[in-house]
Amino acid sequence: MRQSEWIQRAYKVLPAGNFGNFESSVVICEAKGSRLWDADGNEYIDLLLASGPMILGHGHPEVVEVILEQIGKGTTFFANNPAGIELAEVICDAMACAEQVRFLSTGGEADMYAIRLARAFTGRDKIVKFEGGYHGMSSEAQMSLAPEKRVDFPNAVPDSAGIPAAVRQDVLIAPFNDSEVTASIIEAHASEIASVIVEPMQRCIPPQQGFLEFLRDICNQHDIVLIFDEVVTGFRLAYGGGQEYYGVVPDLCTLGKLIGGGFPLSAVAGRADIMSHFDKAKVGSDGFLMQVGTLSGNPMASVAGLKTLEIMRRPGQYEKLRQNGSAIQQHIHQSLNEFEIGHQIFGEMSQFDLIFADQIVNDYRDSQSGDATIMTRFLRELRKNRILKSPTKYYISLALTEEDLSQIGEAIRQSVKALVEVV
Ligand SMILES: Cc1ncc(COP(=O)(O)O)c(C=O)c1O
């Protein structure tokens, strides 16, 4: 069946014609290594990586082998299983903050429970979240996720319909990388704040020197739980995540994407005294945080995650990942410089973004300052040149070959050239 027919069928049964994650104009039928094929048989190089998890590429033979073996043994149990227990051990070894782990199925769920856990632990209600920070789809996380309206800090703007007005009162919004304003917000409400939740690299905006250290100190000072959302950065920036890469240890972290090896699995991990609120025997009825999930600790996801992380531990993997990212960044710079188009790349080598602006990106507002019209055209051209990527991120995999990298370079050059011809 042709792609256009699939698209028509999708529009009938799916709101907006899609699953809510990616736009409706492409229907992916197959993926292998660094490549994807749509329903018309068009081949793409994958820089979307299923929004992050496929760091090894699609259908890695060693991952496929453990998945096939696990299918024969059972796909889900709603009970402890060896793979899940082992994965929890691997997470505790890898993540500096992790003494214990609770598994969930999605990153957003992990963030929601991490926030609730901080509330259970501190007995306080308010949280501090950064403007533009992404923590899934809970009511709290939807506050000032991608606000079009500029309001004064710490006021929160809901980015979704259907959120009770009362939620706004408990979410204080701060500017990422601005210690002064963040400190004044925290100090004004310290005794009511349960947690500060932050992506150690917010979307693709790296923390400025000292910002995460400042958050660590101020949270210590006021007994506030510091949560690093490492759903993206965990095992990607470094094996030990953003907390290893930037050298700051939170109280809790959330993980997703890579730890399920392409299957639905996420986790809250952190200090045992905080995690004990998942254990009624330790904290009693009043402190107990009820949490149950049908697929939590799913063995299929756990074996895929375990194998993915084992492969990531092999020597040279992070160097290779960063080299791949660096090669793509160089291609972008070269082509845009050649045609004298002002731009900024921000992020780290394993994951970054581009804007058409001269300004260095330090926070959400800076990240919105680029020329959106040129970006829309550029993204359209990249797609025409058979690069599949999210509108806001370049996700780098280990599956990229030298041939892929030079093909990406050529696709970027052609896309930039097309931009110039239109302008
Ligand atoms: C930083 C961050 N946190 C949480 C999430 C939510 O994860 P999920 O889509 O698995 O719910 C995402 C998703 O991309 C994310 O980037």
Side-chain angles (χ1 to χ4, degrees):
M1 188 178 293
R2 290 192 59 78
Q3 182 153 264
S4 54
E5 291 172 61
W6 279 116
I7 292 169
Q8 261 182 0
R9 284 172 66 175
Y11 269 101
K12 282 208 183 109
V13 289
L14 305 173
N18 59 47
F19 303 146
N21 40 21
F22 202 67
E23 37 93 358
S24 336
S25 69
V26 66
V27 178
I28 298 300
C29 292
E30 204 178 327
K32 184 91 195 130
S34 60
R35 307 269 169 155
L36 300 148
W37 289 267
D38 71 17
D40 286 339
N42 296 311
E43 182 171 319
Y44 301 86
I45 298 183
D46 188 9
L47 298 181
L48 175 62
L49 298 188
S51 190
M54 307 317 293
I55 197 161
L56 304 178
H58 299 273
H60 188 288
E62 292 179 69
V63 178
V64 170
E65 191 186 337
V66 295
I67 291 167
L68 292 178
E69 196 185 320
Q70 186 60 46
I71 286 179
K73 293 183 188 165
T75 53
T76 191
F77 306 132
F78 194 71
N80 275 4
N81 60 79
I85 295 169
E86 218 179 295
L87 183 59
E89 288 170 350
V90 166
I91 291 171
C92 288
D93 283 346
M95 295 293 148
C97 77
E99 292 175 328
Q100 291 196 320
V101 175
R102 171 56 61 100
F103 288 119
L104 301 311
S105 294
T106 70
E109 221 189 331
D111 286 327
M112 181 191 82
Y113 281 116
I115 290 168
R116 191 174 293 167
L117 193 55
R119 285 172 168 160
F121 180 72
T122 57
R124 304 168 180 170
D125 286 343
K126 289 195 193 311
I127 63 159
V128 173
K129 174 192 177 292
F130 292 92
E131 189 180 43
Y134 191 108
H135 308 294
M137 295 291 126
S138 69
S139 296
E140 285 89 344
Q142 283 299 304
M143 292 297 163
S144 301
L145 163 60
E148 280 167 20
K149 242 189 341 196
R150 299 278 156 95
V151 298
D152 292 337
F153 299 109
N155 294 314
V157 183
D159 277 313
S160 168
I163 295 177
V167 177
R168 287 181 62 197
Q169 293 161 16
D170 286 327
V171 183
L172 303 167
I173 302 297
F176 188 69
N177 270 334
D178 188 332
S179 309
E180 218 173 292
V181 173
T182 304
S184 71
I185 293 168
I186 292 176
E187 272 150 18
H189 301 271
S191 62
E192 300 167 279
I193 298 173
S195 125
V196 171
I197 184 165
V198 64
E199 297 171 79
M201 169 165 74
Q202 181 172 296
R203 315 316 296 136
C204 289
I205 309 169
Q208 279 178 341
Q209 190 78 37
F211 183 66
L212 296 177
E213 289 83 350
F214 147 75
L215 291 180
R216 180 64 285 176
D217 288 347
I218 198 161
C219 285
N220 283 348
Q221 231 174 300
H222 298 291
D223 298 319
I224 293 168
V225 175
L226 179 61
I227 303 171
F228 278 6
D229 180 336
E230 297 239 37
V231 169
V232 168
T233 52
F235 299 97
R236 173 169 280 280
L237 286 190
Y239 186 72
Q243 49 201 288
E244 175 188 315
Y245 194 75
Y246 297 120
V248 175
V249 181
D251 300 302
L252 295 176
C253 73
T254 56
L255 299 162
K257 313 243 183 208
L258 268 71
I259 64 165
F263 287 82
L265 189 129
S266 67
V268 179
R271 275 169 44 189
D273 57 339
I274 306 178
M275 297 294 287
S276 71
H277 286 265
F278 285 125
D279 182 350
K280 198 172 186 175
K282 285 216 172 111
V283 295
S285 301
D286 284 353
F288 176 51
L289 194 169
M290 171 95 158
Q291 190 284 313
V292 184
T294 300
L295 293 173
S296 299
N298 175 266
M300 298 288 294
S302 299
V303 295
L306 273 173
K307 183 53 77 176
T308 301
L309 301 187
E310 182 202 315
I311 294 171
M312 292 309 294
R313 283 197 296 277
R314 292 178 189 163
Q317 298 290 59
Y318 286 90
E319 287 76 3
K320 167 86 167 61
L321 191 65
R322 289 172 198 143
Q323 277 163 15
N324 288 348
S326 164
I328 296 174
Q329 289 197 7
Q330 279 170 33
H331 285 306
I332 296 172
H333 281 313
Q334 253 168 24
S335 292
L336 289 168
N337 288 341
E338 185 186 333
F339 292 97
E340 296 180 356
I341 299 177
H343 66 280
Q344 293 286 332
I345 292 177
F346 55 105
E348 303 288 357
M349 291 301 170
S350 60
Q351 172 206 336
F352 53 85
D353 200 6
L354 163 75
I355 58 167
F356 294 110
D358 296 322
Q359 181 178 350
I360 292 186
V361 177
N362 276 321
D363 62 18
Y364 169 75
R365 294 182 188 190
D366 295 341
S367 74
Q368 301 303 297
S369 65
D371 187 322
T373 314
I374 302 183
M375 183 54 80
T376 306
R377 284 200 211 123
F378 183 60
L379 293 172
R380 200 184 309 135
E381 291 301 325
L382 280 180
R383 178 75 64 81
K384 273 196 222 157
N385 284 290
R386 300 282 182 257
I387 304 290
L388 194 78
K389 69 174 286 296
S390 109
T392 54
K393 225 175 243 184
Y394 292 75
Y395 264 126
I396 308 305
S397 82
L398 281 169
L400 293 168
T401 61
E402 284 305 314
E403 190 198 332
D404 292 331
L405 292 171
S406 67
Q407 202 174 318
I408 291 169
E410 188 51 30
I412 290 168
R413 193 161 190 287
Q414 291 307 326
S415 303
V416 173
K417 231 170 112 191
L419 270 189
V420 177
E421 279 156 14
V422 175
V423 168

